[in-house]
Amino acid sequence: MRRESLVPRPDWAARVEALGFTYHTHETGPYWDESACYVLSSAEVNELELAGNALHALYLEAAQTVIDRDWFERLGIPTKAVPAIVASWERDDPSVYGRFDIAYDGKQQPKLLEYNADTPTALVEASVVQWYWLKERFPKADQFNSIHERLIKAWRAVGSAKVHFTSMGELPEDEQTVAYLMDTCQQAGFAPQWLAIGDVGWDEKARCFADLRGARIDALFKLYPWEWLWEESFAAEVATAPGLFIEPPWKLLYQSKGMLPVLWELFQDHPNLLPAYDEPSRLNGSYARKPRFSREGANVTLVERGFTLEENQGDYAAQGFIYQALAPMPDFAGNRPVMGLWMANNEACGLGIREDTRRITGNLSRFVPHRME
Amino acid sequence: MKRRRDIYADGGRREFERTRASRDVKIYLLVAAGAIGLPLIVTMAQCSADDEPPAPQVASSQTYANNSFLPGAGYYHAPYHAWFPIPYNQHDARGWYRGGQWRPQPDDQDPNQVSFGGSGSHVVAGSSGFTNSSRPTPEAVAQANRAASDYHASTIRRGGFGGSSRSFFS
């Protein structure tokens, strides 16, 4: 695995915008950064793919254990969410996608940092934009990327003729992520419809969620976190409402970083796991402190030998913290990549790499494309 | 044992599907959303659909497809020529719902019989008096129109989701 410097296409912004990808630039510079790319061997991609599928299997076992042993509080999951989570797990409600964040340098085994299982983003750039970049810049090269095809398969497994999609309005990344998922749903042969999250209705007479025309919602894809939904007034209706949520309620088990200590407890010394605990004493003063529920690195603190290396502020601390051993993060001339390993239809299917000069990957990290050789 | 557990019988390797099966990635909605925004696309689509405003009432002179939904009245069961609160042939522990009753067997000619829960849709073979569309009886029309008239938007509450706000996900 190596990082190659490249000269960006002079009209790169217009080219990615033509694909529908408009959130390509931060206030501080490009988010889509094609001034470099990562090059992985086929063997390295194999290793990542196997790690993704292995971690997926571990999560299945761990989630069942959480349910069997009633460890929901350990995961920071509110009691009121438990009946719907368990019911959806027992029904085997389908999941469409998720993204493991992995530390990997091509030398050591891939190590799980966390699982964005509920509302993963950076999907459009991973599935579409870097693919078109590859076709133009390296037309004979390949890429670890069957995300699009796997998403279509995942929708076929959902099997609902009509799927409603919802997200918060006026956020370009959310809108474009949802629009892309609607594309894949449509190509699976189903009819996607969008409505804003605030427009989702509850029909008191029919006892079901309803769209703006009053029609029953059979399947609702929500780019909106379960831990927020559970604090809102319609939460009381989720457990009894007919139809599906995508991602399903049981995905909150996976989304909680409280699963990291559970995984380590159940599968200690697994090569793709880092030691993780509910308290820091067993990590000898060097650890990442992570909120059980947080996004984009918010409220994460890195501590080494008792000294704080780096810290992100945020407002995600309400459900408490877990403590994970520091990962051996690769460093390419000051750039630290995190492998975003995409899962769709329950299988590893693609890679999106974000890098930063900081140690904590956050919302200002850059997306850097990759190719295989 | 849950079905999701069974997928790794081959050891987890799927090399044949690791890279793009097709060179073409169709992204019509994404391109449109990037150009004008998703809500505007949806608004335009709804305006187009609203050029022919949906009839607020039903009529016995019209033909209705099985499971056509009329807010307040429910789902049209074409073989029974009337509206009912539950979709035709819906299945749960009570049986299969048709014509206002739970039946011990599915209508095995209904091509749209769907079961939720991850296994996708399935079609069962056989024979029955199934018809995919029909005209309702005058009595059913009168009853449905009364129910639709009684049905007010106030029966649907909105705003129960979306109150939390943060600007990014993961």
Side-chain angles (χ1 to χ4, degrees):
Chain A
M1 176 178 166
R2 65 180 190 277
R3 184 182 190 275
E4 282 185 354
S5 292
L6 299 170
V7 177
R9 295 169 291 181
D11 57 347
W12 68 266
R15 286 183 177 275
V16 301
E17 284 174 12
L19 299 172
F21 175 65
T22 66
Y23 52 95
H24 51 66
T25 303
H26 291 311
E27 293 173 2
T28 55
Y31 164 61
W32 166 262
D33 185 358
E34 58 178 66
S35 69
C37 77
Y38 284 89
V39 184
L40 289 88
S41 69
S42 183
E44 288 164 341
V45 167
N46 276 348
E47 195 165 35
L48 284 168
E49 183 187 27
L50 285 171
N53 289 336
L55 289 167
H56 186 77
L58 297 188
Y59 265 84
L60 287 171
E61 296 291 332
Q64 188 65 60
T65 302
V66 167
I67 291 170
D68 292 345
R69 300 185 188 178
D70 196 16
W71 280 351
F72 298 99
E73 189 177 347
R74 191 173 168 187
L75 268 57
I77 290 175
T79 304
K80 59 189 170 189
V82 171
I85 289 172
V86 173
S88 70
W89 178 260
E90 293 302 324
R91 284 193 307 264
D92 216 2
D93 285 356
S95 159
V96 169
Y97 74 154
R99 193 194 75 226
F100 289 115
D101 281 351
I102 302 278
Y104 184 61
D105 60 2
K107 301 181 182 74
Q108 301 186 59
Q109 287 268 353
K111 299 288 187 187
L112 174 66
L113 299 171
E114 59 192 55
Y115 191 13
N116 299 294
D118 184 21
T119 57
T121 51
L123 175 64
V124 172
E125 45 274 49
S127 181
V128 177
V129 183
Q130 70 169 346
W131 174 250
Y132 280 93
W133 165 88
L134 181 81
K135 284 211 299 184
E136 183 172 335
R137 293 302 306 269
F138 301 96
K140 293 182 179 174
D142 213 337
Q143 193 171 76
F144 181 20
N145 193 348
S146 62
I147 302 170
H148 189 83
E149 291 83 352
R150 289 308 178 88
L151 288 172
I152 292 171
K153 283 188 178 180
W155 287 117
R156 288 185 180 135
V158 168
S160 177
K162 188 177 64 177
V163 182
H164 285 79
F165 287 74
T166 190
S167 62
M168 292 191 293
E170 300 179 358
L171 296 172
E173 181 170 8
D174 295 2
E175 283 185 10
Q176 288 160 39
T177 301
V178 167
Y180 174 58
L181 285 163
M182 290 170 69
D183 268 319
T184 59
C185 181
Q186 197 165 44
Q187 286 162 50
F190 303 115
Q193 299 177 39
W194 181 84
L195 75 168
I197 185 80
D199 287 336
V200 174
W202 174 253
D203 188 324
E204 293 286 2
K205 285 185 177 175
R207 306 299 299 165
C208 65
F209 288 107
D211 68 12
L212 281 170
R213 295 181 181 221
R216 186 174 88 158
I217 292 176
D218 294 328
L220 181 65
F221 173 89
K222 46 142 215 85
L223 191 64
Y224 195 82
W226 272 114
E227 67 265 28
W228 299 1
L229 286 175
W230 285 118
E231 301 306 321
E232 300 182 348
S233 62
F234 279 174
E237 320 295 358
V238 168
T240 59
L244 295 170
F245 281 89
I246 303 159
E247 293 296 305
W250 59 261
K251 265 300 189 75
L252 189 57
L253 300 171
Y254 287 24
Q255 179 66 31
S256 170
K257 293 179 187 66
M259 279 294 255
L260 296 170
V262 172
L263 286 164
W264 185 249
E265 186 173 322
L266 298 177
F267 311 107
Q268 207 161 100
D269 298 327
H270 189 283
N272 299 129
L273 295 177
L274 292 164
Y277 302 98
D278 293 315
E279 44 81 34
S281 62
R282 298 174 69 180
L283 291 167
N284 299 321
S286 296
Y287 53 80
R289 188 183 79 153
K290 298 180 174 181
R292 290 195 171 90
F293 292 103
S294 77
R295 289 154 202 278
E296 298 286 10
N299 296 96
V300 172
T301 304
L302 302 183
V303 178
E304 190 169 60
R305 294 175 196 155
F307 293 97
T308 299
L309 287 176
E310 204 164 293
E311 187 172 18
N312 272 3
Q313 301 301 315
D315 52 0
Y316 286 93
Q319 281 81 30
F321 296 89
I322 63 94
Y323 301 82
Q324 185 183 46
L326 293 176
M329 296 298 292
D331 186 331
F332 294 90
N335 298 292
R336 297 181 170 89
V338 168
M339 308 287 119
L341 185 55
W342 283 95
M343 305 294 294
N345 202 30
N346 297 307
E347 293 183 86
C349 60
L351 180 65
I353 302 175
R354 289 195 299 169
E355 67 171 24
D356 206 315
T357 52
R358 299 183 73 229
R359 293 169 189 273
I360 301 172
T361 302
N363 60 342
L364 295 180
S365 300
R366 302 175 305 279
F367 189 99
V368 179
H370 81 276
R371 63 183 170 89
M372 291 166 60
E373 65 175 13
Chain B
M1 189 64 71
K2 302 187 77 58
R3 286 193 300 276
R4 284 188 300 265
R5 294 177 191 272
D6 298 337
I7 62 174
Y8 298 111
D10 66 348
R13 185 67 61 91
R14 298 287 194 285
E15 283 193 56
F16 59 93
E17 287 186 330
R18 197 175 60 209
T19 56
R20 283 267 188 263
S22 163
R23 306 298 283 184
D24 293 319
V25 176
K26 297 183 181 69
I27 46 172
Y28 310 118
L29 288 170
L30 172 60
V31 169
I36 60 174
L38 187 58
L40 190 53
I41 295 170
V42 172
T43 302
M44 289 167 66
Q46 286 172 344
C47 286
S48 174
D50 289 344
D51 290 344
E52 294 181 28
Q57 304 274 278
V58 291
S60 58
S61 59
Q62 298 290 315
T63 298
Y64 296 94
N66 195 45
N67 273 337
S68 298
F69 181 75
L70 178 66
Y75 299 85
Y76 185 65
H77 290 199
Y80 294 89
H81 307 275
W83 282 262
F84 297 93
I86 296 172
Y88 187 86
N89 225 15
Q90 173 144 318
H91 176 57
D92 69 17
R94 293 168 288 184
W96 286 262
Y97 188 82
R98 295 193 300 279
Q101 292 182 20
W102 292 97
R103 319 272 177 166
Q105 299 293 330
D107 180 346
D108 50 9
Q109 277 203 334
D110 175 8
N112 298 311
Q113 189 186 356
V114 172
S115 66
F116 292 111
S119 58
S121 61
H122 67 274
V123 178
V124 289
S127 63
S128 74
F130 180 76
T131 178
N132 202 38
S133 64
S134 68
R135 290 181 179 174
T137 64
E139 295 78 16
V141 166
Q143 190 175 7
N145 284 337
R146 273 197 305 275
S149 297
D150 291 344
Y151 187 85
H152 297 293
S154 60
T155 64
I156 297 181
R157 291 186 285 124
R158 299 193 191 277
F161 284 146
S164 309
S165 64
R166 291 186 178 96
S167 61
F168 48 78
F169 297 136
S170 54

